[in-house]
Amino acid sequence: MIHVKARSSPYPGSRVKRFPVPDGYVSWSIPWPKYEPVDYTADIIKAGPEWADPDFRMEGQSEHGPRFNAVDGRIDRRSFQGCYELDEDKLPRNPMGRTGITSRGLLGKWGPNHAADPIVTRWKREAGEKVIHELSGKPILQFVAIKRKDCGEWAIPGGMVDDGELVSATLKREFGEEALDSLTASKLEKDLLRTLFQSVFSKEKAKEVFAGYVDDPRNTDNAWMETVATNFHDDTGDSVGQMDLQSGDDAGCVQWSDIDQKLQLYAMHSHFLKRVTDLWDAHW
Ligand code: BGC
């Protein structure tokens, strides 16, 4: 895989243009003396929110520096891609190669920034029967999709793993925050949602479809996104499959979307959905 979104300009939320990196120069193993990446850290990261690392390059920070490639206190700084290298400034080096930007951009952590993506699916049905796609001859899956407020793209309702949090907890929390509008639902509806939610998010139902580096537009040479995408499938449609969906949290809209290869989704989300269709032998 060679990253593409991680080389796109402008950098999200800014006018910053990355140093252009042609395909042939992505790999760090190709020497490129003329490489002059732009140094960029977004103001929100510079302001030092509690979820972000300090700027370890500043004087006096070095002896308290992070333990890379390890579980560092409450922060997991290991990569799913294996051991990553540190550059001459002792900063993590993006395992997939050059991006045209150094420092962290919008990302809080140096090195891997971990996310989790819950893919909740049901079969598309009409009058109780599974709908078969006329070309592939296979049944169609639907997943819970949200429209991201930051970029307007449709996406899986995922989010960042908090420090010290288990991925299994992030999957539930993010789905709850982004896809279930707990604020506008009545008490009765909320109780029902909670019960349905517990049953579909069980360990037995969880099927991991991806764990690794994500080609994300926020990646830099020193900070990048990784995610665990997990499928929770309601085969009979009588659990979360019967859920009515409304928007909540930082998601603009939420709906059941048919899964098809034509879907244009955020970051690498359509790649994860392809794996889900393989798992259930569904239409793609
Ligand atoms: C998103 C996830 C996504 C990850 C990597 C996170 O901010 O919430 O859905 O997979 O970034 O792109």
Side-chain angles (χ1 to χ4, degrees), residues 145-150 153-158 174-175 177-181 246-254:
I146 56 148
K147 193 167 186 170
R148 289 181 66 105
K149 272 197 187 141
D150 55 355
E153 283 182 282
W154 284 92
I156 297 161
E174 285 295 341
F175 191 78
E177 284 175 11
E178 303 217 9
L180 305 178
D181 189 3
Q246 295 159 293
S247 61
D249 192 56
D250 53 14
C253 300
V254 46

Side-chain angles (χ1 to χ4, degrees), residues 221-243:
D221 285 1
N222 308 118
W224 60 91
M225 288 301 312
E226 299 199 2
T227 198
V228 177
T230 305
N231 177 218
F232 301 92
H233 180 58
D234 178 6
D235 199 49
T236 49
D238 50 18
S239 174
V240 285
Q242 49 160 303
M243 237 164 52

